[in-house]
Amino acid sequence: MPDEPNPRRPKRNSYSPKAETLALLKVSGNPINGLGETRERRPSPFFWHPADQHPYGDLQNVARKSSRRCPGAAEAFVAAYDYPELTPVAELRNQASAEQLSADATAFALSHEADAIGITPMDPLYVFEGYKIDEPWVIILALAHDYERLKEVPSDETNGVGVCDVADKYARGTRASYALANWIRSQGYNANPYPGPLANALLLIPPAIAAGLGELGKHGSLISRHFGSGFRLAGVTTDMPLTATAPDRLGGDEFCMTCQVCTRACPPDAIAEHKQTVRGVERWYVDFDKCIRYFAESASCGICIAVCPWTRPNVRPKLLATMARRLEQASPNHSGAIP
């Protein structure tokens, strides 16, 4: 049964940004993001980085105030910024194998608020320009949304359920990433946490894809076989010896080629129907200049990940089965024989 229509969502192309919001968008963000660039490079600091690193500080303030005006949101976001203290690195190192340390780190993370974990070697392209990360490993944590709460987005003064769930997941990401970093430090290795929603040195989505937490969707967020697009990310970098988890090809990328759900649901029409070249890679890309207007005015939006068919718990298993068959049929080794 389809969900009830959300009265807070305007129809596609019916949204018009406020003049004061448009006035704050003085520089296009698409070139800064590398849209159209044919060479790979590190990403530039952008929205949610410190305001002196990009031209969108005033828009960040609009977005922050838009979210905080929703019932319960101000209190919920306080927890996301309640950073625990990092403990000193223990002098005695745990000399277990990389396999055992990976298993132990995974078990710890999953018992300390993370819903999934992936591990991948550091790549310079995961680090924003102007920042430096010395640790050779990246651990990415997934924090799953409550679908019944998430589907209430966008939030406003009458209903803050959706944005409060977003804040709650960021708060969990803060606690989980700091807890894991401190556990690694207790084993004698360096570790640094990178939770959201504020941006720091570490780009989260590319290492999450490499670590097997999902595929990039048309809406610019990940699609996971476990959570659809209903989850947030936090990261930890470390010099602890680890073993990588493998990327997960679940068919989300192929599905997005023909699916139009998020494209049609996006009020500012920011989601492109085809992939584009961004910093030397052909991939899905959301038009920042269109997206950010509605995002800033509408409590950080979230419509695209909420309406994604993969996010719906009763739909996701069917999609996984369907796409698994399609991927198998498209495989060069598929014989076409009926079992």
Side-chain angles (χ1 to χ4, degrees), residues 87-126:
T87 58
V89 176
E91 293 184 7
L92 183 63
R93 281 194 163 185
N94 184 336
Q95 297 297 330
S97 67
E99 291 76 11
Q100 185 60 54
L101 291 172
S102 298
D104 291 346
T106 297
F108 182 91
L110 295 178
S111 65
H112 288 76
E113 300 198 75
D115 294 304
I117 178 174
I119 303 171
T120 189
M122 175 60 73
D123 185 316
L125 294 176
Y126 299 162

Side-chain angles (χ1 to χ4, degrees), residues 31-105:
I32 298 175
N33 272 334
L35 180 63
E37 294 182 12
T38 58
R39 293 185 179 181
E40 287 190 324
R41 66 166 174 86
R42 292 166 59 185
S44 302
F46 205 57
F47 209 81
W48 294 133
H49 274 101
D52 61 352
Q53 297 181 15
H54 58 79
Y56 309 110
D58 291 336
L59 269 176
Q60 285 184 172
N61 291 332
V62 171
R64 187 176 289 109
K65 292 177 181 178
S66 176
S67 294
R68 304 308 189 271
R69 75 173 189 265
C70 304
E75 298 82 0
F77 273 103
V78 167
Y81 301 121
D82 185 10
Y83 303 119
E85 183 178 353
L86 285 175
T87 58
V89 176
E91 293 184 7
L92 183 63
R93 281 194 163 185
N94 184 336
Q95 297 297 330
S97 67
E99 291 76 11
Q100 185 60 54
L101 291 172
S102 298
D104 291 346

